[in-house]
């Protein structure tokens, strides 16, 4: 069982199994249980890979359609991706365990499994062409979730913005893999096309308008599953960071820092809980982007940590909003809804996950934010403090949501016989997520060390490629 | 058997002292998270035991230190976050000041814990109260004993969050929740200033050790005057937010929404003095930054004057006590700015104990008044009016109005900060919607009820 290929095959086959079963005449409830079991198995398998050094060093190289001399890894597990695998699996488990039954039918279960498969395989490759194809497929999957008449406008918005992102990405990749473009203006143009594609996908200002619209009026569940893994961050770190010029990275980082403050500030004043979630996601996503583009080991490690903590915490937070909406309908943050007494576990989970988003001490987000702030200030002595402002505003936004959603008088119209409390699977899932976020926050060392190692590898790779590129330029 | 106290290591005593409330927080927190909070009796006993252990350990630490140590000691418990550069170390800085404040904190907490056990008997949020109380005590002890800025920041955040959530303790009341949000808004400014000071210190000095900030003129010699001034000003902003100095005083009366024991321990005795304690510790840094020192002194004096006037016109006992506390806090800050550190600490300790007693007695003030009047057989002598020191009626009325409106600080804050921010954010939100509509025209409102949508 030490062969990494076997484990990878198992990881990939689990969502395929659910996709296949969805086409058979399997009862929806059984299909759901199969999905939960598969997600649990996927988490365990992914954790095994992440914790096992022999399994963490595996790659299959390819030299066709590549922009890297000597070929690139078609499939690889390394220090960076090994931790992302259980992350993707955990998001799938969160989705299938918590989403209300009425909202996750056969098609929904198929779609979530497919989305997870695409995310997982994205995290396993560094091939630009494969990433392009997977990215396009994930956008198509997201669009398919919005194909009902009620979401026609949001589907069009997503189609325009993410369609443009995919086209830009495709153009950039086509240029990059063309022969003879190394160290030419064509390569620079290609890089910029990919950068803009990643900025659109990540919702970075000024390409962000689709995010709040989709969260507010689209389908929140698919929006969470599409955005929480932050594949755009992965594209950035694999394709952009190793090769981009310092000016390019600086531009991205500054835009990201501005977006972090912008998103947090707007999340604070929203009326709709969904729209507030959208802006919160924008802010957190931008912090990750800022860390990835700061070219210091500390900032990069911080960005990689915030990626995990914000991804999990935000997904959990948004799922709490979904669970509440299933019981109360749309949530208006300008009034108090009460309900702490009915759902204390949900309230505590919401608060804990929200605080993890803000980098509260004792949560996984704290270490990431500390490293990110330190690294960002080292690179941008003034703008780096934007992380501090974004964190403060995010904390306020989260607490405002908590006070609105769980404080105030309980709904006096609800008959006492109505069961509005959490179902056991919902309660256990949220509790587990909170325990993971706090547990990793209190004992962060192995994970933090692994992110430091990953960031050192990435920056070493960048240095090597920069040196190679300078050597080639001097020859010519 | 006589306990040979000097042989017990300080590291153990301090660890037990800080770890005891932290363990209480973990136990009560996990039980609440799992949906099975401990019964009231167990919670009360655990809380009481934890406070006794913490108090005993820290008092013993103070005695041991006094008998054995000759200077400041840095107790290190290893690196917490990473083995790479930039990791957060768990360090406590022990000297007479930190151990005295920590012992005072633990002792006061023990008294309040015992009071709360009875005061909140059968209260719906009993367990929640003690979770937050444990969080607060852990945070205060970390602030008192922090050896580096990261540990200080952790304690600072714990104190702030627990304070805000306790203001919203009676969460069925919209006023309490709304006030809690106003309190936390100011706290976030304070936290941002604290974090900025920490980051700047690491950036310019290459270390976040508090022995650098608090270690005396020689230790802070590595900082330039400009850096020292900026860091000191950021610390003063953090202190001003936490201790309700001007212009951040408006949150203090709002915080009286919480239960009386929490008002006593937060705004009478400990939390409101946390800022003063931090400023006291940063005395050597202030000596290097005359501008910051002047700022601290000015804020302290202005706050004392403002609070001294405002307390006289409050109509409820807790608000009156809150502003009375603030008067003393302002004076303490001024004493620190002038350089009277010993006086400032003695003032702080004495005031904390005295005000705690007043707050805990506050619910009985009417009962006590009636008892007094019954004993003397007459009504207590009426007040002679406010601000008789001013000759002009018009001046007295104006001053009365300013005091009654608490300096119009809320109005000023709303006009200068909140309303422009809200307008700007609303404009940005409309701009975002326009960016979507510019790409595609928005449809007319449909007949589909959004509540019927799944997900």
């Amino acid at each position: 069982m030490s062969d990494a290929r076997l484990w990878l095959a198992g990881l990939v086959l689990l969502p395929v199994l659910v996709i296949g079963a969805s086409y058979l005449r399997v009862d929806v409830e059984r299909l759901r249980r199969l999905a939960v079991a598969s997600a649990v198995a996927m988490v365990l398998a992914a954790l095994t890979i992440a914790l096992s050094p022999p399994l963490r060093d595996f790659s299959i190289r390819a030299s066709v359609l590549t922009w890297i001399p000597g070929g690139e890894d078609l499939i690889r597990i390394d220090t960076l991706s090994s931790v992302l695998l259980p992350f993707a699996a955990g998001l799938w488990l969160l989705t299938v365990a918590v989403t209300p039954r009425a909202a996750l039918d056969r098609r929904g279960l198929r779609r979530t499994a497919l989305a997870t498969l695409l995310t997982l395989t994205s995290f396993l490759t560094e091939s630009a062409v494969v990433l392009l194809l997977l990215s396009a497929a994930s956008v198509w999957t997201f669009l398919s979730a919005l194909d009902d008449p009620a979401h026609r406008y949001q589907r069009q918005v997503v189609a325009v913005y993410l369609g443009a992102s995919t086209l830009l990405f495709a153009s950039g990749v086509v240029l990059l893999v063309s022969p003879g473009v190394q160290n030419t203006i064509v390569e620079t143009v290609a890089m910029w096309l990919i950068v803009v594609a990643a900025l659109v996908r990540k919702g970075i200002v000024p390409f962000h308008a689709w995010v709040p619209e989709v969260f507010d009026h689209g389908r929140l569940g698919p929006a969470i599953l599409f955005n929480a893994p932050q594949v755009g961050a992965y594209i950035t770190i694999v394709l952009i960071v190793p090769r981009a010029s310092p000016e390019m990275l600086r531009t991205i980082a500054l835009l990201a820092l501005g977006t972090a403050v912008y998103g947090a500030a707007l999340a604070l004043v929203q009326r709709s809980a969904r729209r507030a979630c959208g802006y919160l996601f924008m802010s957190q996503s931008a912090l990750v982007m800022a860390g990835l583009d700061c070219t210091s080991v500390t900032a990069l490690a911080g960005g990689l940590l915030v990626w995990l903590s914000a991804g999990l915490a935000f997904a959990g937070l948004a799922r709490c909003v979904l669970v509440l909406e299933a019981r109360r309908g749309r949530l208006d943050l300008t009034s108090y809804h009460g309900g702490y007494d009915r759902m204390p576990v949900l309230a505590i989970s919401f608060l804990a996950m929200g605080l993890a988003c803000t980098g509260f001490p004792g949560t996984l987000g704290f270490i990431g934010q500390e490293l990110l702030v330190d690294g960002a200030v080292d690179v941008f002595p003034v703008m780096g403090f934007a992380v501090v402002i974004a964190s403060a505003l995010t904390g306020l936004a989260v607490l405002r949501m908590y006070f609105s959603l769980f404080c105030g008088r309980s709904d006096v119209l609800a008959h006492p016989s109505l069961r509005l409390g959490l179902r056991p699977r919902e309660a256990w899932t949220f509790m587990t997520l909170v325990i993971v976020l706090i547990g990793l926050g209190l004992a962060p060392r192995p994970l933090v060390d692994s992110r430091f190692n990953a960031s050192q590898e990435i920056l070493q790779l960048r240095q090597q490629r920069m040196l190679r590129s300078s050597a080639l330029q001097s020859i010519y | 058997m006589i306990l040979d106290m000097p042989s017990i290591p300080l590291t153990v005593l301090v660890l037990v002292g800080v770890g005891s409330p932290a363990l209480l927080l973990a136990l009560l927190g996990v039980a609440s998270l799992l949906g099975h909070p401990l019964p009231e009796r167990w919670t009360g006993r655990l809380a009481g035991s934890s406070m006794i252990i913490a108090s005993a350990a820290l008092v013993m630490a103070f005695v041991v230190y006094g008998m054995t140590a000759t200077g400041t000691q840095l107790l290190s418990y290893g690196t917490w976050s990473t083995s790479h550069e930039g990791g957060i170390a768990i360090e406590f800085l022990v000297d007479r000041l930190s151990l005295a404040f920590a012992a005072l904190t633990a002792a006061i907490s023990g008294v309040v814990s015992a009071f709360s056990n009875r005061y909140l008997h059968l209260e719906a949020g009993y367990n929640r109260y003690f979770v937050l109380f444990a969080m607060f005590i852990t945070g205060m002890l970390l602030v008192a004993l922090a050896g580096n800025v990261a540990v200080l920041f952790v304690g600072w955040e714990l104190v702030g969050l627990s304070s805000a959530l306790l203001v919203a303790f009676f969460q069925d009341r919209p006023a309490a929740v709304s006030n809690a949000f106003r309190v936390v808004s100011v706290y976030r400014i304070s936290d941002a200033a604290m974090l900025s000071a920490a980051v700047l210190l690491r950036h310019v000095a290459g270390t976040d050790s508090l022995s650098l900030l608090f270690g005396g003129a020689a230790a802070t010699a590595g900082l330039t005057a400009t850096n020292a001034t900026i860091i000191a000003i950021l610390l003063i902003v953090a202190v001003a937010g936490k201790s309700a100095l001007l212009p951040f005083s408006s949150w203090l009366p709002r915080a009286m929404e919480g239960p009386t024991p929490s008002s006593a321990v937060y705004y009478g005795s400990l939390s409101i003095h946390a800022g003063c304690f931090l400023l006291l510790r940063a005395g050597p840094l202030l000596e290097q930054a005359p501008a910051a020192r002047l700022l601290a002194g000015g804020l302290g004096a202005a706050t004392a004057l403002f609070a001294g006037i405002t307390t006289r016109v409050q109509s409820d006992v807790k608000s009156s006590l809150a502003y009375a506390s603030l008067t003393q806090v302002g004076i303490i800050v001024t004493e620190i700015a002038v350089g009277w550190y010993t006086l400032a600490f003695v003032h702080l300790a004495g005031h904390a104990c005295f005000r705690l007693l007043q707050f805990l007695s506050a619910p009985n003030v009417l009962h006590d008044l009636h008892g007094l009047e019954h004993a003397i057989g007459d009504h207590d002598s009426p007040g002679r009016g406010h601000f008789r020191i001013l000759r002009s009626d018009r001046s007295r009325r104006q001053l009365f109005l300013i005091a009654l409106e608490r300096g119009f600080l809320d109005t000023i804050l709303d006009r200068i900060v909140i309303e422009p921010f809200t307008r700007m954010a609303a404009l940005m939100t409309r701009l975002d919607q326009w960016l979507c509509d510019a790409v595609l025209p928005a449809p007319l409102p449909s007949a589909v009820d959004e509540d019927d949508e799944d997900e």
Side-chain angles (χ1 to χ4, degrees):
Chain A
M1 292 299 279
S2 62
D3 193 339
R5 282 170 291 187
L6 285 174
W7 286 94
L8 277 181
L11 272 187
V12 169
L13 281 173
L14 285 166
V16 170
L17 179 67
V18 175
I19 294 168
S22 71
Y23 285 105
L24 303 175
R25 287 184 187 177
V26 179
D27 178 55
V28 173
E29 183 55 30
R30 281 195 181 174
L31 184 63
R32 183 195 187 90
R33 286 181 197 164
L34 175 65
V36 172
S38 300
V40 171
M42 194 186 208
V43 169
L44 294 173
L47 280 172
T48 305
I49 294 173
L51 296 172
S52 172
L55 297 177
R56 279 205 305 260
D57 188 17
F58 168 79
S59 66
I60 298 174
R61 289 188 79 80
S63 55
V64 292
L65 286 180
T66 173
W67 59 309
I68 300 170
E72 60 192 0
D73 287 332
L74 198 63
I75 299 172
R76 60 109 190 263
I77 306 174
D78 60 3
T79 321
L80 171 68
S81 58
S82 62
V83 173
L84 296 176
L85 302 178
F87 172 57
L91 291 173
W92 187 30
L93 179 59
L94 181 64
T95 304
V96 293
V98 164
T99 305
R101 279 196 188 110
L104 205 55
D105 56 6
R106 185 185 299 276
R107 283 186 65 206
L109 286 165
R110 183 190 308 147
R111 202 173 42 239
T112 56
L114 178 59
T116 302
L117 179 63
L118 293 170
T119 302
L120 194 76
T121 43
S122 297
F123 289 157
L124 286 171
T125 186
E126 72 164 3
S127 162
V129 173
V130 175
L131 276 173
L132 167 65
L133 294 172
L134 292 172
S135 177
S138 70
V139 171
W140 174 83
T141 308
F142 186 33
L143 282 171
S144 71
L146 301 170
D147 61 359
D148 56 303
H151 299 111
R152 191 166 158 239
Y153 177 69
Q154 289 74 36
R155 181 184 165 91
Q156 289 171 340
V157 168
V158 169
V160 169
Y161 275 90
L162 293 183
S165 167
T166 307
L167 278 173
L168 288 168
F169 192 13
S171 309
V173 169
V174 164
L175 288 176
L176 266 184
V177 302
S178 306
V181 301
Q182 260 91 47
N183 302 311
T184 65
I185 189 76
V186 175
E187 186 186 35
T188 308
V189 170
M191 292 294 298
W192 274 112
L193 287 171
I194 296 175
V195 164
V196 175
L199 293 179
V200 174
R201 176 134 183 175
K202 292 279 285 170
I204 303 296
V205 171
F207 310 109
H208 64 284
W210 67 274
V211 175
E213 180 61 32
V214 160
F215 271 82
D216 194 11
H217 299 299
R219 296 188 68 188
L220 186 55
I224 298 168
L225 195 57
F226 179 77
N227 288 294
Q230 299 181 65
V231 174
Y234 185 78
I235 291 170
T236 302
I237 208 148
V238 166
L239 300 184
I240 299 171
V241 171
R243 296 280 287 205
S245 63
E247 294 73 30
M248 195 180 287
L249 292 180
R250 175 176 279 265
T251 305
I252 299 171
L254 287 173
L255 282 175
L257 287 170
T259 304
V261 177
Y262 180 84
L266 261 64
L268 186 51
V269 301
Q270 294 308 309
R271 194 185 171 97
S272 157
R274 287 189 175 207
R275 204 170 184 93
C277 283
Y279 281 114
L280 271 180
F281 165 73
M282 258 176 61
S283 178
Q284 294 297 301
S285 162
L287 283 179
V288 174
M289 201 71 161
L292 300 186
D293 293 291
C294 274
T295 64
S296 78
V297 173
T298 308
L300 189 48
L304 294 178
L305 273 171
V306 172
W307 183 354
L308 297 173
S309 69
L312 284 175
F314 170 76
L317 191 86
R319 291 279 166 199
C320 286
V321 170
L322 261 181
V323 165
L324 280 171
E325 280 192 349
R327 289 152 172 81
R328 298 181 192 164
R330 283 288 180 132
L331 300 167
D332 181 350
L333 294 178
T334 58
S335 59
Y336 297 113
H337 299 271
Y340 180 95
D341 294 329
R342 278 210 188 97
M343 289 181 277
V345 172
L346 186 67
I348 295 168
S349 301
F350 182 94
L351 187 61
M353 288 185 282
L355 292 173
C357 282
T358 72
F360 190 78
T363 65
L364 180 58
F366 174 62
I367 309 294
Q369 296 246 1
E370 284 284 299
L371 293 172
L372 192 55
V373 168
D374 278 343
V377 169
D378 276 341
V379 179
F380 304 105
V382 176
M383 264 307 270
F385 286 98
V387 181
V388 176
I389 299 171
S391 171
L393 291 171
T394 303
L396 277 179
V398 163
L399 282 167
R400 176 177 174 256
M401 288 178 76
Y402 170 78
F403 286 144
S404 170
L405 297 177
F406 296 102
C407 297
R409 287 192 194 285
S410 294
D411 184 0
V412 296
L413 299 177
H415 193 275
S417 64
L418 277 178
R419 285 183 56 207
L420 297 177
L422 288 182
R423 290 175 177 274
R425 61 175 166 79
E426 291 170 334
W428 279 107
T429 308
F430 285 128
M431 277 190 253
T432 307
L433 182 54
V434 169
I435 288 170
V436 166
L437 287 169
I438 294 180
L440 286 174
L442 294 175
R445 206 157 160 167
L447 182 61
V448 175
D449 284 348
S450 89
R451 296 304 83 194
F452 262 98
N453 294 337
S455 58
Q456 280 168 347
E457 283 177 16
I458 292 164
L459 290 177
Q460 269 169 15
L461 186 65
R462 177 180 163 79
Q463 268 183 340
Q464 285 166 8
R465 288 186 178 164
M466 287 289 162
L467 282 171
R468 204 182 303 145
S469 170
S470 308
L472 281 172
Q473 276 183 335
S474 64
I475 288 170
Y476 291 120
Chain B
M1 181 181 109
I2 298 172
L3 197 61
D4 184 13
M5 287 203 284
S7 69
I8 304 172
L10 265 180
T11 47
V12 171
L13 290 171
V14 169
L15 186 63
V16 169
V18 177
S20 182
L23 187 61
L24 177 69
L25 171 62
L27 281 171
L28 297 182
V30 168
S32 297
L33 176 65
L34 295 177
H36 297 289
L38 297 180
E40 182 181 304
R41 209 163 147 199
W42 278 102
T43 302
R45 283 181 182 170
L46 277 173
S49 307
S50 173
M51 293 302 123
I52 289 171
I53 292 169
S55 305
L58 290 169
V59 168
M60 280 170 62
F62 183 69
V63 172
V64 167
Y65 180 86
M67 291 167 72
T68 59
T70 53
T72 305
Q73 288 187 23
L74 188 69
L75 306 179
S76 180
Y77 296 88
T79 305
W80 169 41
S81 60
T82 179
S83 52
H84 292 259
E85 193 189 328
I88 297 172
I90 303 176
E91 292 173 340
F92 296 128
L93 198 66
V94 294
D95 56 15
R96 283 182 306 170
L97 180 59
S98 67
L99 284 174
F101 190 65
L104 178 70
T105 299
I108 287 177
S109 306
V111 170
V112 174
S113 171
F115 183 91
S116 305
N117 190 24
R118 288 157 181 76
Y119 189 83
L120 295 172
H121 176 54
L122 294 181
E123 181 68 45
Y126 181 95
N127 195 77
R128 181 162 44 95
Y129 171 86
F130 275 99
V131 171
L132 296 172
F133 184 71
M135 185 187 293
F136 166 71
I137 300 305
T138 308
M140 277 302 303
L141 291 175
L142 288 176
V143 168
L145 294 165
N148 56 53
V149 187
V151 173
L152 176 65
F153 182 70
V154 169
W156 201 258
E157 288 266 273
L158 289 175
V159 169
L161 178 69
S162 59
S163 168
L165 292 177
L166 276 171
V167 172
F169 179 77
F170 299 109
Q171 52 195 6
D172 288 348
R173 297 207 318 244
V177 181
S178 153
N179 285 335
F181 185 67
R182 293 288 283 233
V183 169
V184 83
S185 302
V186 177
Y187 276 172
R188 292 308 283 177
I189 297 172
S190 170
D191 296 343
M194 171 64 74
L195 184 57
S196 300
V199 171
L200 194 56
L201 181 66
R202 276 198 288 263
H203 189 61
V204 300
T207 175
D208 64 350
S209 169
L210 286 179
S211 59
L212 181 69
L213 268 184
F214 303 156
T220 53
L223 295 175
T224 64
T226 308
N227 288 336
T229 303
I230 295 172
I231 293 172
I233 288 176
L234 285 170
L235 281 179
I236 289 168
V237 171
V239 165
K242 192 68 86 186
S243 295
L245 303 179
L246 285 174
F248 301 116
S249 307
S250 62
W251 68 261
L252 189 60
R254 294 174 179 274
M256 298 301 113
E257 292 279 356
T260 295
S262 76
S263 300
V265 76
Y266 279 86
Y267 317 115
S269 58
L270 292 179
S271 174
I272 202 165
H273 290 109
C276 302
F277 173 75
L278 181 62
L279 216 52
L280 202 54
R281 300 287 290 180
L285 180 69
L286 283 181
E287 284 166 11
Q288 269 203 294
R293 205 168 166 180
L294 198 62
L295 176 66
L299 279 181
T303 303
L305 184 63
F306 163 73
I309 293 169
T310 309
T311 190
R312 281 158 168 74
V313 309
Q314 298 307 304
S315 56
D316 66 288
V317 64
K318 281 175 74 174
S319 295
S320 180
L321 286 176
Y323 277 106
S325 281
L326 192 56
T327 310
Q328 298 302 313
V329 166
I331 295 172
I332 293 169
V333 170
T334 310
E335 288 164 357
I336 295 169
V338 168
W340 298 339
Y341 301 134
T342 306
L343 174 63
F345 183 74
V346 172
H347 189 172
L348 185 157
H351 178 243
C353 296
F354 170 66
R355 202 63 72 187
L356 175 74
L357 173 63
Q358 283 199 312
F359 263 101
L360 294 181
S361 310
N364 290 342
V365 72
L366 285 179
H367 178 268
D368 292 343
L369 179 64
H370 292 149
L372 176 68
E373 289 177 345
H374 181 73
I376 62 175
D378 193 1
H379 288 295
D380 192 16
S381 57
R384 293 178 296 147
H386 299 290
F387 312 128
R388 289 281 163 188
I389 197 169
L390 298 173
R391 292 181 183 279
S392 154
D393 271 349
R394 188 157 176 255
S395 306
R396 277 199 297 273
R397 278 199 298 272
Q398 279 175 344
L399 189 61
F400 182 81
L401 180 63
I402 290 170
L404 195 66
E405 292 295 331
R406 296 165 179 169
F408 295 98
L409 290 174
D410 272 345
T411 310
I412 294 169
L413 191 67
D414 285 348
R415 292 260 171 93
I416 293 178
V417 178
I418 295 173
E419 283 170 18
F421 177 82
T422 310
R423 274 199 296 271
M424 176 68 75
L427 183 66
M428 292 294 112
T429 304
R430 282 198 296 276
L431 182 64
D432 285 350
Q433 282 167 332
W434 179 84
L435 283 172
C436 277
D437 296 346
V439 170
L440 290 160
L444 293 169
S446 73
V448 174
D449 185 349
E450 284 185 339
D451 285 346
D452 290 341
E453 295 169 7
D454 54 353
E455 286 201 295

